[in-house]
């Protein structure tokens, strides 16, 4: 009983962590396929390994009817997930709880013929180094 009351009190007074995160987006002047290829190359060109490519657009299109939706959110969308050992070590030495942000992701999405590349906005402080890395990768990809 006391444990239940303590748990309920803790949950009621805990700060809410469900804040919407902003996305940092760059327009891409070209096809979705070219954007995805350019992002993949820009990541690999830095000696980084892509751990996983999440096919978010395909999943949303495939499962829409299953969840009672007919809305088409993206024509295409993927998220490239990867880490940098050097950057990850620095940001986690600054605060080990920065592990929550790893792996890092860059998305490529197409909506209504417009292609965009982007990433989440990371918190101020040490994670700005990650944000700078992601921006540099995207700027390389958009310059091709």
């Amino acid at each position: 009983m006391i444990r239940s009351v303590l748990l309920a009190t803790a949950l009621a007074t805990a700060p809410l962590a469900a804040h919407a995160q902003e996305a940092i987006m760059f327009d891409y002047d070209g096809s979705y396929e070219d954007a995805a290829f350019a992002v993949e190359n820009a990541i690999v060109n830095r000696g980084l390994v892509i751990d996983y490519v999440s096919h978010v657009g395909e999943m949303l299109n495939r499962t829409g009817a299953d969840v009672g939706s007919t809305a088409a959110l993206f024509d295409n969308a993927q998220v490239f997930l990867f880490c940098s050992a050097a950057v990850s070590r620095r940001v986690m030495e600054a605060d080990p709880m920065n592990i929550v942000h790893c792996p890092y992701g860059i998305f490529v999405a197409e909506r209504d013929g417009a292609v965009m590349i982007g990433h989440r906005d990371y918190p101020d402080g040490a994670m700005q180094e990650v944000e700078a890395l992601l921006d540099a990768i995207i700027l390389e990809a958009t310059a091709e």
Side-chain angles (χ1 to χ4, degrees):
M1 172 78 174
I2 292 174
R3 182 183 288 166
S4 297
V5 171
L6 291 174
L7 179 59
T9 303
L11 291 174
T13 59
L16 298 177
H19 299 297
Q21 292 184 334
E22 296 294 322
I24 296 173
M25 295 181 290
F26 299 79
D27 293 326
Y28 184 81
D29 187 24
S31 72
Y32 169 81
E33 291 79 12
D34 288 347
F37 185 73
V39 166
E40 183 176 359
N41 281 339
I43 294 168
V44 172
N45 286 347
R46 285 181 163 62
L48 303 172
V49 175
I50 297 170
D51 295 321
Y52 182 72
V53 179
S54 178
H55 301 278
V56 178
E58 290 175 19
M59 179 274 299
L60 290 170
N61 290 336
R62 183 180 68 250
T63 61
D66 297 335
V67 298
S69 177
T70 59
L73 300 174
F74 298 101
D75 301 327
N76 294 291
Q78 293 182 51
V79 181
F80 294 86
L81 300 168
F82 59 94
C83 267
S84 162
V87 172
S88 294
R89 172 149 303 270
R90 286 191 295 274
V91 301
M92 287 181 217
E93 283 182 358
D95 180 354
M97 291 300 96
N98 280 332
I99 191 171
V100 71
H101 302 292
C102 196
Y104 314 122
I106 294 178
F107 69 84
V108 179
E110 180 180 19
R111 291 186 71 184
D112 302 322
V115 179
M116 63 197 98
I117 302 172
H119 62 82
R120 74 178 58 184
D121 184 17
Y122 289 94
D124 290 338
M127 289 305 296
Q128 289 303 296
E129 184 175 357
V130 172
E131 198 163 295
L133 170 66
L134 300 179
D135 286 344
I137 290 169
I138 293 170
L139 290 173
E140 179 181 327
T142 57
E144 291 185 2

